């Protein structure tokens, strides 16, 4: 059974996990609806989630809220299909007005640090794109501006997105506008099908049926239209996790905000976790959900808020940055003296041109005079300091009394 740690309790093992993730080589993230709740988008299975809301509003027509997202049930009658389009339009408006949360920005930071191998999301809200991640869109043409090939994609939506509408008959796709008076809305007739039918009628042939537009999301009990492409991406990331890693660096699989009840998502987590015996798999959720079935697959389940977990890793990154700045090497005395005593070569060259002498001779002479002036000045300072001895003045006097050694044997004292 995976080891359970409570995030709110102080624990050295939790701190060690945070440090391990902060210093990881590669991170693959699998996210669910829980990461978008704080952005104002409801999840599906909680007590006040989308399933409960649908059942409360349409209990006479829909037995369970899940049935509205079941492809084998929702399109059996025009009435349930209209309810589906209505809820999808409402959800689209919520997604359009939502802003990325803490986890979305955390994923962006992983990508900026070069640590994010891929982020797989079950969400359809498109907040990863708003956070600045490169999102793979299977409906985007290769020659379209902003097209992201799967090799360069940082985020892969497993269940589609609410950004586009697709015809159920001809598979044509259109942008999904959140405006209430938009010409193309969910449930409307496909413009391509209508134009094709009108062209046939104008030539004296029979008309063709027009398909209805629905969001490009994958429903229950329907085949995934892009399963082969996603399988190729998952296989690529699995090989990357199984490759040899650098000493002291770890590969991490993070699972955020999901109950792992969708079969495809369960299989994805198992495949990524088993890519290498050295891969550490961590699940973070508000409540414990892993039993013995996840033994040997998920190593740790963190019970607590996903946002708090990400903030702890961000604080660890900030601490590492402060330590790096503090430990930056400092200049030695010999380097500092050389920088402060030698004048620029260009000044000596200008001086030689005025006097009509060789630039090399004048540059050497000017540098020597500058050193003599600095030595004389420092000797005067050391003599004045000896009149009132102190620990620092004694050190200065010792250094200046051995000034003639610094040219051939630089001091190794740091300041």
């Amino acid at each position: 059974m995976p080891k359970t740690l409570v995030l709110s309790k102080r624990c050295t093992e939790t701190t060690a996990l945070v440090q391990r993730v902060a210093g990881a080589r590669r991170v693959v993230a699998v996210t669910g609806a829980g990461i978008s709740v704080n952005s104002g988008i409801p999840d599906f299975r909680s007590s006040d989630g989308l399933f409960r809301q649908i059942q409360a509003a349409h209990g006479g027509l829909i037995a369970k809220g899940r049935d509205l997202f079941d492809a084998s049930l929702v399109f059996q009658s025009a009435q349930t299909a209209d309810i589906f389009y209505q809820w999808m339009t409402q959800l689209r408006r919520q997604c359009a007005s939502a802003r990325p949360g803490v986890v979305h920005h955390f994923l962006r930071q992983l990508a900026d640090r070069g640590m994010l191998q891929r982020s797989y999301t079950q969400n359809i809200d498109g907040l990863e794109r708003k956070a600045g991640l490169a999102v793979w869109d299977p409906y985007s043409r290769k020659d379209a501006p902003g097209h992201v090939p799967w090799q360069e994609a940082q985020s892969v939506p497993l269940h589609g997105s609410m950004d586009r509408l697709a015809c159920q008959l001809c598979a044509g796709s259109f942008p999904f506008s959140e405006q209430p008076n938009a010409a193309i809305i969910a449930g409307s007739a496909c413009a391509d099908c209508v134009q094709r039918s009108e062209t046939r009628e104008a030539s004296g042939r029979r008309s063709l049926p027009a398909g209805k537009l629905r969001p490009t999301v994958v429903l229950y009990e329907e085949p995934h239209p892009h399963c082969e492409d996603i399988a190729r991406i998952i296989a690529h990331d699995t090989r990357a996790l199984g490759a040899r890693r650098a000493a002291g660096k770890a590969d991490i699989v993070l699972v955020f905000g999901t109950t792992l009840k969708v079969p495809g998502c369960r299989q994805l987590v198992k495949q990524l976790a088993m890519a290498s015996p050295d891969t550490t798999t961590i699940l973070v959720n508000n409540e414990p959900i892993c039993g013995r079935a996840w033994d040997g697959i998920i190593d740790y389940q963190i019970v607590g808020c996903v946002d708090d977990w990400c903030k702890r890793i961000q604080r660890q990154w900030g601490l590492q940055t402060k330590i790096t700045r503090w430990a930056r090497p400092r200049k030695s005395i010999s380097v500092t003296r050389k920088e402060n005593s030698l004048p620029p070569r260009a000044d000596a060259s200008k001086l030689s041109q005025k006097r009509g002498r060789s630039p090399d001779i004048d540059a050497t002479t000017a540098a020597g005079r500058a050193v003599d002036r600095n030595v004389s000045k420092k000797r005067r300072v050391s003599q004045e300091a000896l009149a009132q001895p102190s620990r620092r003045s004694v050190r200065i006097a010792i250094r200046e009394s051995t000034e003639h050694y610094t040219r051939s044997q630089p001091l190794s004292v740091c300041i």
Side-chain angles (χ1 to χ4, degrees), residues 330-406:
R330 293 171 286 179
K331 295 181 180 179
S332 64
I333 286 179
S334 60
V335 175
T336 306
R337 285 175 177 170
K338 186 176 180 181
E339 290 179 352
N340 294 334
S341 61
L342 294 179
R345 181 63 175 270
D347 297 341
S349 301
K350 293 178 180 179
L351 182 63
S352 65
Q353 292 174 2
K354 291 182 179 180
R355 296 179 179 178
R357 298 179 182 179
S358 172
D360 294 334
I361 295 176
D362 279 343
T364 306
T365 305
R369 291 175 179 173
V371 171
D372 294 338
R373 285 196 300 270
N374 289 339
V375 170
S376 301
K377 182 179 180 181
K378 290 178 181 178
R379 283 177 179 170
R380 288 196 302 270
V381 172
S382 64
Q383 291 173 359
E384 294 173 0
L386 286 174
Q388 296 179 352
S390 65
R391 184 175 297 179
R392 178 171 178 79
S393 63
V394 170
R395 287 202 303 268
I396 294 175
I398 293 173
R399 293 173 187 169
E400 301 305 328
S401 64
T402 58
E403 181 64 27
H404 61 281
Y405 289 105
T406 61

Side-chain angles (χ1 to χ4, degrees), residues 89 92-93 176-185:
T89 302
R92 169 58 182 162
R93 291 171 184 165
F176 190 1
S177 175
E178 70 276 7
Q179 301 299 328
N181 56 351
I184 301 176
I185 61 174

Side-chain angles (χ1 to χ4, degrees), residues 235-250:
H236 175 273
D237 293 342
T238 303
R239 289 192 299 268
L241 290 176
R244 178 183 293 182
R245 71 177 192 274
K249 295 288 186 177

